[in-house]
Each structure stands twice: as structure tokens, then as C-alpha cells.
Amino acid sequence: MVGNFDCTQFITFDSSASEEKLNNMLSSFEELGFKIITGDEVKPIKRQYFKDYSSYYFIELKFDNFMGEFEDWEQIDKPPILIKQFIETAYKMVDSEGISNIKIILTSFAEEGRTTNEVTVIEKSHISEGLYTMSKHNFQVWVDNLILEILK
């Protein structure tokens, strides 16, 4: 599939939770300003690009300016407010009963054969450190796309 996309984020997971519970969890992201895009509404190029990392549910958390928050994240222990709220919401989802195989995917720019993907497996208590990989002030690792696999 030819094409590319940029500046978006995804959450992917398996679940045995009720649809009502899933909707309640996802509404927490909506309260932060993310638009929830699910199923066939997620563009095929995005699903195809991340197919090797996807669990049963593959949800786009659309917020055009969210990746810009990482440009302002200077110190690892002082994330911008929106990123801090995102992390807190992700913690709640990871802690939810019936949720497994959860991954957060952040995309600066994605094009098959041209861009890099960094897969990092982390404990939930290290989500902040994992996300900091995308900060423009992180000089240890540079990556186009980050896939954080979160262990409970």
C-alpha cells in the first residue's frame, strides 16, 4: 500500500470487558480532546502500517496538535499538562479488568520502507519514560514511530 500519514496516535488492546465499559474508558480520552476513531473508520493505510503491532481493538486517538506537545516536553519528570493527563488516562485503562495486550502508538511520520518504528516493552509505572522517547529534547533515541507495549 503506497502512502503515508503523520501526527496521530493509537491505542490497541484485547478486551473481555463489556462494550459499555470500553466506551466509558475511551470517553476519558475524548474528555481530553481526542476524537475516537474505530473499526473501518480508521484509514486502511494506518491499519496496514501497524498490522504487526495491532491487537483486536485498534483505536485512533485523533488530536492534530497532540504530537506538538512533545516538542515542549523538556524534562522527563515534567511532562506538559496534556501529556500528563494522557498518561493518567492510560494508567486507568491498563488497570482496568478485562483489558490486555495494550499498546500505545505515537506517530510522527509513517511510510512503509522509509520510516522507523521503535518497539518498547515497559511496565505501566514507566509509561512517562516510554513516551518521553518522542520528546524533541530526548537525545538518546530518535524514532519516527513509537510502539509502547505496556505490561500490567
Side-chain angles (χ1 to χ4, degrees):
M1 182 172 283
V2 177
N4 59 55
F5 58 96
D6 64 1
C7 297
T8 194
Q9 39 286 322
F10 306 90
I11 193 159
T12 183
F13 56 92
D14 292 324
S15 176
S16 61
S18 70
E19 191 168 325
E20 180 182 354
K21 184 175 181 178
L22 291 177
N23 288 335
N24 286 338
M25 283 187 287
L26 294 173
S27 70
S28 297
F29 287 104
E30 285 180 311
E31 290 170 12
L32 298 178
F34 293 90
K35 180 180 178 190
I36 306 300
I37 301 173
T38 62
D40 291 339
E41 293 177 8
V42 177
K43 291 182 180 178
I45 192 168
K46 295 175 181 180
R47 289 187 311 229
Q48 175 66 26
Y49 186 87
F50 290 116
K51 72 181 184 312
D52 293 340
Y53 312 105
S54 184
S55 296
Y56 183 80
Y57 291 93
F58 185 77
I59 315 263
E60 182 172 1
L61 302 171
K62 186 167 177 52
F63 189 132
D64 290 339
N65 297 323
F66 184 65
M67 290 306 295
E69 295 289 315
F70 290 86
E71 293 176 12
D72 298 331
W73 192 357
E74 294 181 14
Q75 297 176 351
I76 193 167
D77 59 340
K78 295 181 181 178
I81 292 170
L82 183 56
I83 293 176
K84 185 176 181 179
Q85 292 170 328
F86 181 86
I87 292 166
E88 290 167 358
T89 303
Y91 278 151
K92 291 177 191 171
M93 193 163 191
V94 171
D95 282 342
S96 294
E97 211 170 298
I99 301 294
S100 60
N101 300 321
I102 190 166
K103 296 176 198 76
I104 295 172
I105 302 172
L106 301 179
T107 302
S108 288
F109 181 74
E111 183 174 340
E112 285 193 46
R114 289 194 62 196
T115 53
T116 59
N117 299 327
E118 175 75 20
V119 178
T120 304
V121 179
I122 59 169
E123 298 286 333
K124 73 173 184 179
S125 60
H126 296 284
I127 293 174
S128 183
E129 291 89 343
L131 292 177
Y132 187 72
T133 301
M134 295 301 282
S135 169
K136 301 299 180 199
H137 299 276
N138 169 30
F139 302 113
Q140 294 179 353
V141 178
W142 174 252
V143 62
D144 297 309
N145 305 297
L146 175 66
I147 297 99
L148 284 184
E149 184 176 338
I150 304 167
L151 304 173
K152 287 194 170 204

